[in-house]
Amino acid sequence: MTQLSRAGHWAATYYVDQAHANARDTNLGTSEDAPWLTLQRAMQSDITAGDTVYVKNGTYDAGAGTFNPASSGTPSAPIAYRAFPSHRPVVTKPGGDPAGANRMVIGAVGSGSYVIWDGFRLGPWTNVLVMNANGVVLENLIIDKGPTVPLSCGNDNYNGIFVQQANDVVIRNNIIRNINYTGCTALNAGGITLYEAHNTRVHNNEIYNTNEGINDKE
């Protein structure tokens, strides 16, 4: 399905459904009956301003990489990656991270300005990272880092959402929990950390069992 976006471009709607028998990354992806198989396919540069990608239930593994969009939207025509209505797809990476530190699985780094991430659940020990990208919206996510990192006190950033050198980011309606170092209240472990971020809007998030709720570092 295509429609004219507010920017005047023909925008498309795509589908990712790893459980569908006809799912192939060689499909056009514009039909629910012939969706893409992987979320990696939806990160490619042919997804452009105004496009929407709906992702159905499943566990989408980033492997050694990340789900980082290759293209940017615009203020009037963002690129949207959304859970399909009534679905809660999981995005994850293999293995755990008992030593702490962030492990990006979704977000926007370098590319991916004016991108929306909506409705996903993150796998254990993973996080959202926005860096050098503007106008990103993070909404309706469930971020649960899982078991506490077994360190007396950690120095690395260990967050649910980390925003660095980015402008106009919106963080809303998320559940962020279980992000802490054992035996201390280190501010580097927390729900949301902002570092050299400007005009960030954070509202209506539920943050609990974290060393720090929101940490504006600089």
Side-chain angles (χ1 to χ4, degrees), residues 40-66:
Q40 281 89 345
R41 174 62 185 85
M43 297 298 105
Q44 296 179 16
S45 60
D46 55 345
I47 303 297
T48 57
D51 290 349
T52 297
V53 178
Y54 283 113
V55 183
K56 296 193 176 183
N57 281 339
T59 298
Y60 296 87
D61 195 329
T66 60

Side-chain angles (χ1 to χ4, degrees), residues 19-42:
H20 199 289
N22 296 327
R24 305 283 189 279
D25 282 350
T26 53
N27 292 339
L28 292 178
T30 53
S31 167
E32 288 187 66
D33 293 325
W36 288 332
L37 178 65
T38 71
L39 193 51
Q40 281 89 345
R41 174 62 185 85

Side-chain angles (χ1 to χ4, degrees), residues 9-218:
H9 304 292
W10 288 105
T13 301
Y14 298 93
Y15 301 89
V16 180
D17 182 4
Q18 64 179 208
H20 199 289
N22 296 327
R24 305 283 189 279
D25 282 350
T26 53
N27 292 339
L28 292 178
T30 53
S31 167
E32 288 187 66
D33 293 325
W36 288 332
L37 178 65
T38 71
L39 193 51
Q40 281 89 345
R41 174 62 185 85
M43 297 298 105
Q44 296 179 16
S45 60
D46 55 345
I47 303 297
T48 57
D51 290 349
T52 297
V53 178
Y54 283 113
V55 183
K56 296 193 176 183
N57 281 339
T59 298
Y60 296 87
D61 195 329
T66 60
F67 296 123
N68 186 39
S71 301
S72 294
T74 68
S76 61
I79 295 171
Y81 295 95
R82 300 189 187 277
F84 191 78
S86 301
H87 286 233
R88 179 69 77 177
V90 176
V91 287
T92 192
K93 295 171 71 76
D97 192 11
N102 283 333
R103 297 172 68 244
M104 173 191 175
V105 65
I106 63 171
V109 177
S111 58
S113 289
Y114 302 104
V115 163
I116 299 168
W117 285 99
D118 174 18
F120 293 85
R121 183 185 186 106
L122 274 66
W125 289 297
T126 63
N127 76 291
V128 183
L129 174 62
V130 177
M131 181 164 38
N132 298 318
N134 301 320
V136 175
V137 177
L138 309 171
E139 59 187 357
N140 305 310
L141 304 174
I142 297 178
I143 303 170
D144 187 336
K145 296 281 263 197
T148 299
V149 173
L151 296 178
S152 60
C153 204
N155 294 318
D156 289 325
N157 290 304
Y158 185 62
N159 316 111
I161 295 174
F162 190 89
V163 180
Q164 180 174 353
Q165 295 173 337
N167 302 315
D168 304 314
V169 174
V170 177
I171 303 170
R172 63 190 175 202
N173 304 327
N174 303 292
I175 297 173
I176 306 169
R177 63 194 180 206
N178 300 326
I179 305 169
N180 44 54
Y181 289 116
T182 301
C184 72
T185 56
L187 299 185
N188 279 347
I192 299 170
T193 294
L194 311 175
Y195 184 74
E196 297 180 346
H198 304 281
N199 196 33
T200 308
R201 285 161 286 170
V202 180
H203 53 96
N204 202 38
N205 297 278
E206 183 178 338
I207 304 172
Y208 62 94
N209 193 26
T210 63
N211 285 161
E212 180 77 355
I214 301 172
N215 183 10
D216 190 354
K217 293 182 70 173
E218 187 171 328

